[in-house]
Amino acid sequence: MRFAFTEEQLAFRDAVRDLLARECPPSVVRDAWTNSSGRTDKVWSRLAEMGVLGAALELRDIDVVLVLEETGYAAVPEPVVEHAVVATPLLADPGSARAGEITVVTAFEGQGPVVYADSADTVVMGSEAGVVVLEDFDVAPIATSVDGSRRLGEVTGSGARVADADAFHRAFDRGALGTAAQLIGLTRRMLDMTVAYVIERQQFGAPVGSFQAVKHHLADARIALEFARPLVYRAAWSMSEGESESPVHVSMAKASAGDAALLTAGKALQCHGAIGYSFEYDLHLFMKRAWALAATWGDAAWHRARVGRAIL
């Protein structure tokens, strides 16, 4: 058995990584906090051109998990998971969604508030009753997210039922898995930023990263990342193979990835000191995205409870 990604999977990841490094630096994420939609049209169109928005139509979960991790690393201010991974595969005619010509968001039970609903063209609602597609709907803005780019709303409307409860459960797990992958990317980003900072920052004539207490913080974060990452990859493989235990694997991945991201956010803030609290410093863009994603598509307590029910 091969326990590694293929050359094609790695090449797809590398291409998206290069694209986001070029088109979605922190300055672009920061701009999305204050513009009218919270989004970046240029990044959205580039992801469509690269095939990311339609990837779930043709590829398996294991083929796209690394790409989703990169969208987390860049904190892309777009509904990538909701549009590309959850909603598009449920549409009868996904051509416009695949091309990025329309934006589709999701209003699923257990997901949390609907993100980017005020800039969406279509909403896919999911519940135990099945999946419904809304093209005519009303949006009521609600409290602002801790992440300024994630515009939250409540959606009301009626539409055509397109799938049953089983499809809802599979789509929900794709949302949780995609979000777990993004949390892994965010954890990597915060760790990379912190390592770079503690190497550069001098105190008492030495880099602060040479102090034992700082090393311990970074080691704790790295261990959390290395424990969570294989769980995310295993869940992606399990979903791809249609294994009966894939919901449990997804829950283990989401809970562990959320814990790793929250732990790393706290450690990064401690290692940065006062500058980490500054709005002008980029750390908060990634830290607050981690806080938001850890709570959506089921938080760690919800997913641990699901694992518990499966075991007992």
Side-chain angles (χ1 to χ4, degrees):
M1 181 177 289
R2 176 184 172 85
F3 291 102
F5 289 97
T6 66
E7 292 297 325
E8 290 79 9
Q9 290 163 345
L10 295 173
F12 192 20
R13 176 205 61 187
D14 291 345
V16 172
R17 175 183 290 176
D18 292 344
L19 167 74
L20 295 177
R22 185 174 62 252
E23 303 289 354
C24 192
S27 59
V28 170
V29 180
R30 184 179 291 277
D31 288 343
W33 278 52
T34 54
N35 68 22
S36 59
S37 65
R39 303 177 56 192
T40 62
D41 293 341
K42 186 176 181 181
V43 175
W44 189 246
S45 62
R46 293 291 184 271
L47 289 173
E49 291 169 2
M50 189 161 281
V52 174
L53 302 188
L57 295 170
E58 300 168 353
L59 303 176
R60 302 172 301 162
D61 296 283
I62 193 64
D63 298 324
V64 298
V65 67
L66 293 177
V67 170
L68 295 174
E69 185 178 327
E70 293 307 315
T71 63
Y73 189 88
V76 173
E78 296 285 352
V80 176
V81 168
E82 289 77 11
H83 175 104
V85 179
V86 181
T88 299
L90 293 169
L91 300 178
D93 181 8
S96 297
R98 180 208 298 258
E101 296 168 354
I102 64 170
T103 299
V104 189
V105 297
T106 54
F108 271 40
E109 283 183 359
Q111 169 191 344
V114 181
V115 293
Y116 303 109
D118 57 352
S119 60
D121 302 286
T122 301
V123 177
V124 176
M125 302 184 74
S127 69
E128 292 289 347
V131 178
V132 175
V133 174
L134 308 181
E135 294 183 347
D136 185 13
F137 53 90
D138 295 318
V139 179
I142 59 176
T144 305
S145 170
V146 67
D147 180 331
S149 71
R150 289 168 63 86
R151 309 297 160 81
L152 305 181
E154 290 183 347
V155 174
T156 55
S158 58
R161 186 171 180 268
V162 298
D164 58 16
D166 289 342
F168 157 69
H169 290 299
R170 289 194 297 274
F172 180 88
D173 282 340
R174 286 198 297 272
L177 174 61
T179 303
Q182 290 189 322
L183 283 163
I184 291 297
L186 283 162
T187 302
R188 283 177 38 226
R189 184 61 172 264
M190 291 185 288
L191 193 53
D192 287 351
M193 290 180 69
T194 307
V195 169
Y197 178 77
V198 300
I199 290 174
E200 179 182 357
R201 177 81 165 89
Q202 299 275 324
Q203 198 168 41
F204 306 117
V208 297
S210 65
F211 302 150
Q212 196 72 1
V214 174
K215 290 180 180 178
H216 284 171
H217 283 316
L218 295 175
D220 289 343
R222 184 56 184 256
I223 290 170
L225 171 63
E226 295 304 329
F227 272 99
R229 182 157 43 190
L231 293 179
V232 174
Y233 297 164
R234 182 184 68 168
W237 171 257
S238 183
M239 289 281 289
S240 299
E241 295 298 302
E243 293 181 353
S244 60
E245 294 185 339
S246 62
V248 177
H249 296 159
V250 168
S251 282
M252 294 173 66
K254 179 61 167 60
S256 298
D259 286 349
L262 295 179
L263 174 74
T264 302
K267 299 295 185 183
L269 193 58
Q270 285 183 285
C271 291
H272 276 82
I275 195 174
Y277 290 88
S278 170
F279 183 83
E280 289 73 22
Y281 193 71
D282 290 336
L283 176 63
H284 82 101
L285 300 172
F286 304 95
M287 189 170 60
K288 292 174 180 173
R289 175 63 58 85
W291 294 349
L293 294 189
T296 191
W297 293 101
D299 62 12
W302 188 92
H303 283 286
R304 285 199 179 89
R306 186 161 77 154
V307 174
R309 289 193 297 272
I311 294 174
L312 300 177

